[in-house]
Amino acid sequence: QVQLVESGGGVVQPGGSLRLSCAASGFTVNNYNMHWVRQAPGKGLEWVSFIENNGRSKDYADSVKGRFTVSRDNSKKTMYLQMNSLRAEDTAVYYCAKDGDNWAFDYWGQGTLVTVSS
Amino acid sequence: QSALTQPASVSGSPGQSITISCTATSGDVGSYNLVSWYQHHPGKAPKLMIYEVNKRPSGVSNRFSGSKSGNTASLTISGLQAEDEADYYCCSYVDSSTWVFGGGTKLTVL
């Protein structure tokens, strides 16, 4: 069965950096595009980033463009989100999600909490 | 500012039907039939309920249905059950590999 497990969350000071990981299993990882989605405390879901199955095409929400970088290592079945210049408003649960090849996110991880605070 | 507007809350009694709307406020979002809906119980992983406006993934109850008219997509849940109480989000592909979520709707089963 499809499993997505996020890790790497924690507490970081404003201006700091953090790298999240998403370990995938149960499907042919290099066949599918992947996404990061976040949810700030008390707020709704926000799409953050997309990466094509081969890692060539990437895109980002305006709120993180220039600060976050998505990547993947298909040999390790893992996707990453490098987050730099973190701000208080980046505090959220970060989910990785598998693209269903149908413009939707058909499987999600349980999320990892990132807290940006001094 | 979200390009998809949802009501903050809806409610219904067990057995009733409810509809959650999702209105596109920018033209390019409304022109795609690429709307999906997610159910989110707090503390759990979101679950895909509807994709491409009205298609149901395998395993999702046929009590859930989707539709779209003009710039407004809708999720209808019939035969409300207690376990349907959750937050629901619409989402649309925008362009150039970007997506946008609606603000979310809290469903209360009375």
Side-chain angles (χ1 to χ4, degrees), chain B residues 76-108:
Chain B
T76 297
I77 309 173
S78 59
L80 266 181
Q81 299 178 1
E83 59 260 36
D84 298 333
E85 185 162 296
D87 297 320
Y88 290 85
Y89 295 88
C90 62
C91 181
S92 179
Y93 175 77
V94 179
D95 61 13
S96 301
S97 300
T98 63
W99 280 254
V100 65
F101 282 92
T105 298
K106 181 177 180 61
L107 169 61
T108 300

Side-chain angles (χ1 to χ4, degrees), chain A residues 39 45 59 95 103 105 108-109, chain B residues 34 38 40 45-46 89 96-97 99:
Chain A
Q39 183 177 34
L45 298 175
D59 214 330
Y95 298 97
W103 313 102
F105 318 121
W108 299 63
Chain B
L34 299 173
Y38 302 85
H40 191 202
Y89 295 88
S96 301
S97 300
W99 280 254

Side-chain angles (χ1 to χ4, degrees), chain B residues 25-80:
Chain B
T25 54
S26 64
D28 50 358
V29 172
S31 63
Y32 288 103
N33 286 323
L34 299 173
V35 176
S36 52
W37 290 90
Y38 302 85
Q39 177 190 65
H40 191 202
H41 289 104
K44 296 200 169 184
K47 179 183 178 182
L48 175 65
M49 306 304 285
I50 296 287
Y51 66 97
E52 292 177 11
V53 174
N54 56 14
K55 298 177 182 177
R56 248 187 335 269
S58 172
V60 171
S61 170
N62 59 8
R63 297 187 299 107
F64 292 82
S65 62
S67 62
K68 183 171 178 275
S69 177
N71 277 5
T72 297
S74 298
L75 173 71
T76 297
I77 309 173
S78 59
L80 266 181

